[in-house]
Amino acid sequence: GAVGAGGGAGGGGGGGAGGGPETEALKTGKVELAEALGLVDEVRLQSRKELRELQARVEAAHLENEALRRSGEAYVAPQGSIVKSFRRLFSVAAGKADPFPNAEDAVT
């Protein structure tokens, strides 16, 4: 009986002594979790900021695109052919005469 009671008391005392390091480990874990959550919040905030900046750039590009379309400065391939457009590009780049000199007149 006495050994059992002593064992119980020792177990209880050991549990109390073990609670100290366990409690410290729990506190440390909570602090680390709070720090990690803070970092996650910072990353989310930065991501939102970057997303807003990208959305603004996309909107500006759309507006620029619309302005260019309205300005009438769109390029039209000679006789509607991309092959003829490349032929024109390479001919002019090689210093030869423009095979489609009036192509821009066709742009409306």
Side-chain angles (χ1 to χ4, degrees), residues 64-87:
E64 181 182 4
N65 187 26
E66 286 300 317
L68 289 172
R69 286 180 182 213
R70 284 191 299 265
S71 72
E73 295 180 17
Y75 176 76
V76 176
Q79 300 175 0
S81 169
I82 191 72
V83 173
K84 290 180 182 177
S85 180
F86 278 117
R87 184 176 299 139

Side-chain angles (χ1 to χ4, degrees), residues 33-48:
L33 176 61
E35 289 172 352
L37 291 175
L39 291 174
V40 168
D41 287 342
E42 287 180 31
V43 169
R44 283 184 181 157
L45 183 64
Q46 183 64 29
S47 295
R48 286 185 190 131

